Amino acid sequence: MSSDLVIDVRNLNKRFGTKHVVRDLSLQVSAGEIYGFLGPNGSGKTTSIRMLCGLLTPDSGSGTCLGHDVIRQTAEIKREVGYMTQRFSLWEDLTVRENLDFVGRMYGMRNRRDAVGAAIDRLGLGSREHDLAGSLSGGWKQRLSLAACMLHEPRLLLLDEPTAGVDPKARREFWQEIHELAATGVTVLVSTHYMDEAERCHRLAYIAYGRLLARGTAAEIVAERALGAWTVSGDELAGLAPKLVPLAGVDHVTVFGSQLHVTGRDREQLARSMEQAARQYGDYRFAPAAPGLEDVFISMMDNARDDRQ
Amino acid sequence: MTLGQLSWSRWYGIVVKEFIQLRRDRLTFGMIVGIPVLQLLLFGFAINTDPKQLPTAILAADTGVFSRTLVAGLRNSGYFDIQRQAHSEAEALSLLHSGEVQFLVQIPEGFSRRLVRGERPALLVQADATDPAATGNALAALSGIVDTALSHDLRGPWAGLQPRPPPVELRVHRLYNPEGLTQYNIVPGLLGVILTMTMVLMTGLAMTRERERGTFENLLSTPALPLEVMTGKIVPYIIIGLVQVTLILIAARWIFTVPMQGSLLALYVVVVLFIAANLTLGITFSSLARNQLQAMQLTFFFFLPSILLSGFMFPFRGMPDWAQALGSLLPLTHFLVLVRGILLKGSGLVELWPAVWPILLFMAVVIAVGLRFYRRTLD
């Protein structure tokens, strides 16, 4: 079992000054898996990823990445991991091809020319290969970054919010690419804020305030949380929402277009409140619903914040 | 910590990247070529430590032959440009006070008469000595000027008034720069100053730029080693430094006619050494600094003492011991000795060894510090 694990770290901790950014992070990712890494801004996702690829040294904890020790063998890890940073971090004053050439040289690739050519073809960068990277739009930059971090054929890709600020079509193509890569045996750890992307991952981990709060498949995480959810439809929803918030058992009321989405941790209490509200506000239709991943994460985030205070 | 193996291919990749980036950065590139030429022409022509034709006022209460001779002598020396004839002492002093003239020469009443009588009349010269360098040479030349001017007129019956020759005949040879031309001293010095400024600044910015733009994270995530990155980034600037030096030397030879007594090869050896020392400092600065602004500040923190304490602007031996000790830490101090020695005196590297090893030592220490502080991780 453990030989199958590409990432296997236990109790990683990282502090910056007095800020405890990552607390006791344990993570196991199997080969060929697309592993989603979720959590609010500032939750420690980027720091965790940087520790995995040897850019940051954990204060404590242990583990391996591709079989190399995350503390002592960072040089080996760097050679075999492809890391895509959150911000575009290639050289804006180099062209697409020059960037890829440079990255190829950094990994000491023998067949650099062929590999760069292949990467350009594969990601459809051919028409832009002589453009300066700085002149590319967000979607093209993201493709270039992906091409750069897979150039040396790493066995593990660490992607830090790769699709932030990218249009839906480019995102879809991007995920297509990720799934094709995973099919060839590459393991992918990807952090994201998008729920639709989270659902495309094989497994997920949710991290908030430096703590890992949940992990498993999307369905497992939703089921485990056992959140109650109701939808309310009708006219003038905006006026109704504030009246539902103070009801017992209601944690969140969110407007989704022509529906209100009401969730609560206490399913029975929520059901009682909703049935009573249904009688009181006869113009609206109240119906139980299946909670989504987003409901679960928002609920967990609130709990985590309460724990911290 | 695993150091891994240095790779030529990675190193070459970094060099190529730096060159491409440099080529695309037109302004920087223009500055690299423009700065030395501009500064050389500006300072080479502008700076003069032996100022002549200084504005002078005369307050003459005597119009005798000796007074006229004296005034002519002052004028002929080249140091004094007699612009004003004052008519009262108050007027004369106000000219000096307002800065309109640098010198005030007062010839007292009955000067010629008393001189003939052998009464040794006083000749008062008042100087605005706020800037000692501006008045120094003129004042030093003064007694000679007076003696030679008068010696023509003190003939026949007055021959007895001729100044007596001193008991010792003083012979002074001004070697290496007999005419005392400032250019000969300034132009080779500028070589060092320009290199210090551009080399430290350029490389200081090179690494912090990566950090500021976020590309450093990418560089760190690759297997590139600190030594490869540092030296790879230095190479293009060594070549730029050599181009600057060549430009300056051409100008020195053909525009400023600075003599080139020593071997050009020795000069270039010394130049490469000096460039390397400055580049390692720049790279180290950029490892210490968090952003380009800090790198810039560090550069100027280093640049000012380099100019003021190295002997480029003010005589090194004129400084107190502690300041000389401080100045000895700076590579520019030693480079000035080297480049002036080679160009003006024709010295060889063997004679100049005492000025070579401090630069080597400086470089070794700076590299050690730089490697220590190069952040291999983002911590």
Side-chain angles (χ1 to χ4, degrees):
Chain A
M1 173 66 192
S2 69
S3 63
D4 198 22
L5 290 178
V6 170
I7 298 174
D8 183 10
V9 292
R10 285 170 210 283
N11 301 321
L12 291 187
N13 277 284
K14 185 72 191 175
R15 286 185 187 80
F16 292 117
T18 54
K19 264 183 82 183
H20 201 158
V21 184
V22 175
R23 289 167 200 263
D24 295 329
L25 177 81
S26 298
L27 201 62
Q28 281 75 37
V29 180
S30 311
E33 206 168 35
I34 300 179
Y35 200 92
F37 210 38
L38 291 100
N41 292 325
S43 58
K45 298 191 300 285
T46 299
T47 305
S48 303
I49 290 177
R50 285 177 174 169
M51 284 197 284
L52 291 175
C53 65
L55 283 183
L56 286 176
T57 318
D59 294 335
S60 65
S62 63
T64 59
C65 188
L66 292 165
H68 306 296
D69 190 288
V70 290
I71 293 169
R72 285 185 305 276
Q73 294 177 297
T74 53
E76 285 83 352
I77 292 176
K78 283 180 183 180
R79 256 196 296 275
E80 293 174 34
V81 167
Y83 170 48
M84 180 169 162
T85 53
Q86 191 171 350
R87 246 178 71 192
F88 181 71
S89 66
L90 289 166
W91 289 266
E92 301 208 331
D93 46 358
L94 297 184
T95 66
V96 168
R97 183 175 277 277
E98 284 162 356
N99 264 302
L100 293 176
D101 259 330
F102 176 71
V103 172
R105 283 203 176 101
M106 287 306 102
Y107 286 97
M109 296 176 65
R110 292 246 169 76
N111 53 345
R112 196 186 77 245
R113 259 169 238 279
D114 298 340
V116 168
I120 286 176
D121 289 342
R122 178 171 185 169
L123 289 160
L125 291 163
S127 59
R128 314 296 296 267
E129 66 172 309
H130 296 300
D131 289 8
L132 291 184
S135 69
L136 300 178
S137 64
W140 286 98
K141 278 184 178 165
Q142 175 232 36
R143 273 195 220 186
L144 171 58
S145 299
L146 183 64
C149 74
M150 348 177 310
L151 193 67
H152 61 292
E153 295 172 1
R155 289 158 54 206
L156 170 64
L157 280 180
L158 300 172
L159 311 175
D160 194 1
E161 293 186 26
T163 55
V166 169
D167 69 54
K169 182 167 174 285
R171 266 174 59 195
R172 180 168 293 186
E173 285 165 5
F174 184 82
W175 275 90
Q176 186 64 34
E177 183 69 33
I178 298 294
H179 274 277
E180 281 169 22
L181 277 171
T184 65
V186 176
T187 310
V188 181
L189 179 80
V190 53
S191 75
T192 179
H193 283 301
Y194 298 110
M195 289 306 134
D196 60 316
E197 294 187 350
E199 280 160 10
R200 287 173 190 233
C201 298
H202 298 132
R203 287 206 299 145
L204 302 171
Y206 186 78
I207 176 173
Y209 308 107
R211 248 189 268 262
L212 193 95
L213 298 181
R215 60 183 149 188
T217 64
E220 280 167 10
I221 290 177
V222 173
E224 194 187 330
R225 189 68 177 172
L227 206 62
W230 286 66
T231 56
V232 184
S233 44
D235 299 328
E236 294 285 320
L237 286 168
L240 180 63
K243 292 174 188 150
L244 298 182
V245 173
L247 297 182
V250 173
D251 292 341
H252 279 279
V253 179
T254 323
V255 185
F256 276 102
S258 59
Q259 285 192 326
L260 281 185
H261 205 69
V262 186
T263 57
R265 286 229 62 190
D266 189 339
R267 295 171 78 160
E268 271 96 65
Q269 183 62 54
L270 180 68
R272 279 196 294 278
S273 294
M274 287 299 105
E275 279 154 15
Q276 199 192 333
R279 285 191 292 277
Q280 194 179 344
Y281 307 106
D283 294 346
Y284 301 94
R285 272 175 291 112
F286 285 73
L293 208 48
E294 186 166 309
D295 300 323
V296 170
F297 287 150
I298 288 172
S299 159
M300 281 197 286
M301 204 173 129
D302 285 349
N303 270 61
R305 188 161 48 210
D306 294 345
D307 288 354
R308 239 162 60 106
Q309 279 161 1
Chain B
M1 184 155 299
T2 42
L3 250 173
Q5 284 222 306
L6 289 176
S7 142
W8 278 112
S9 133
R10 280 200 298 260
W11 183 81
Y12 178 70
I14 292 166
V15 172
V16 169
K17 165 181 158 296
E18 290 300 314
F19 266 120
I20 297 175
Q21 288 184 303
L22 201 61
R23 204 186 63 209
R24 299 241 160 89
D25 189 357
R26 291 274 163 78
L27 187 67
T28 304
F29 199 74
M31 261 167 42
I32 287 164
V33 182
I35 283 182
V37 173
L38 205 74
Q39 291 195 335
L40 186 71
L41 293 180
L42 206 65
F43 300 143
F45 281 121
I47 298 177
N48 182 6
T49 52
D50 185 17
K52 299 209 166 138
Q53 298 297 332
L54 297 164
T56 305
I58 300 265
L59 178 62
D62 175 87
T63 49
V65 57
F66 291 112
S67 299
R68 291 198 302 274
T69 310
L70 212 55
V71 170
L74 288 174
R75 190 178 279 137
N76 290 341
S77 73
Y79 280 109
F80 303 93
D81 177 15
I82 293 154
Q83 297 182 339
R84 305 288 290 259
Q85 295 284 344
H87 301 291
S88 70
E89 184 156 357
E91 184 199 349
L93 283 175
S94 84
L95 285 174
L96 199 61
H97 197 71
S98 66
E100 220 168 301
V101 296
Q102 190 99 34
F103 297 102
L104 171 61
V105 180
Q106 290 196 42
I107 304 173
E109 217 179 319
F111 178 78
S112 300
R113 191 164 24 104
R114 294 180 59 198
L115 192 142
V116 175
R117 286 188 199 151
E119 288 177 15
R120 300 193 70 238
L123 179 70
L124 178 64
V125 177
Q126 282 165 295
D128 173 357
T130 41
D131 181 359
T135 50
N137 279 352
L139 291 178
L142 210 53
S143 75
I145 294 170
V146 171
D147 285 352
T148 42
L150 294 180
S151 65
H152 286 285
D153 290 344
L154 294 172
R155 295 226 182 100
W158 303 315
L161 293 171
Q162 283 275 8
R164 231 178 293 153
V168 175
E169 188 197 339
L170 194 62
R171 289 186 190 171
V172 178
H173 286 190
R174 294 182 179 223
L175 293 179
Y176 314 123
N177 184 2
E179 292 164 80
L181 294 178
T182 310
Q183 293 173 1
Y184 287 11
N185 192 37
I186 286 286
V187 172
L190 272 176
L191 196 65
V193 170
I194 290 170
L195 282 178
T196 301
M197 191 169 80
T198 49
M199 293 296 107
V200 177
L201 190 62
M202 292 294 154
T203 45
L205 296 182
M207 200 88 90
T208 41
R209 193 181 299 134
E210 300 263 0
R211 194 169 288 127
E212 248 178 49
R213 292 184 184 169
T215 51
F216 194 58
E217 189 174 359
N218 211 317
L219 202 57
L220 275 181
S221 73
T222 70
L225 299 173
L227 198 63
E228 292 163 357
V229 176
M230 278 189 167
T231 54
K233 277 182 167 293
I234 279 178
V235 167
Y237 296 101
I238 290 185
I239 293 170
I240 286 168
L242 288 174
V243 170
Q244 289 184 331
V245 167
T246 308
L247 281 175
I248 295 172
L249 285 180
I250 290 171
R253 183 78 189 83
W254 304 109
I255 299 179
F256 296 103
T257 60
V258 173
M260 299 203 180
Q261 305 286 352
S263 117
L264 215 52
L265 181 70
L267 184 65
Y268 271 90
V269 169
V270 167
V271 160
V272 169
L273 182 69
F274 183 64
I275 289 175
N278 280 308
L279 291 180
T280 48
L281 184 72
I283 289 280
T284 301
F285 277 173
S286 66
S287 305
L288 294 171
R290 288 260 159 208
N291 52 45
Q292 296 196 59
L293 185 67
Q294 286 182 358
M296 199 100 121
Q297 288 169 333
L298 279 170
T299 305
F300 278 95
F301 177 72
F302 174 75
F303 187 57
L304 264 183
S306 280
I307 283 197
L308 298 177
L309 297 184
S310 65
F312 167 70
M313 259 191 184
F314 308 109
F316 187 77
R317 293 204 175 96
M319 301 191 301
D321 288 345
W322 60 266
Q324 290 197 19
L326 214 60
S328 304
L329 300 176
L330 304 166
L332 183 59
T333 306
H334 304 285
F335 180 71
L336 290 178
V337 173
L338 290 172
V339 72
R340 285 169 179 164
I342 293 172
L343 282 182
L344 304 181
K345 301 183 184 176
S347 315
L349 282 182
V350 180
E351 302 159 77
L352 291 172
W353 174 246
V356 172
W357 68 258
I359 300 183
L360 287 171
L361 184 67
F362 176 87
M363 209 155 69
V365 171
V366 168
I367 286 182
V369 173
L371 284 175
R372 167 78 183 71
F373 283 99
Y374 178 92
R375 299 188 190 94
R376 197 183 307 241
T377 58
L378 286 170
D379 296 74

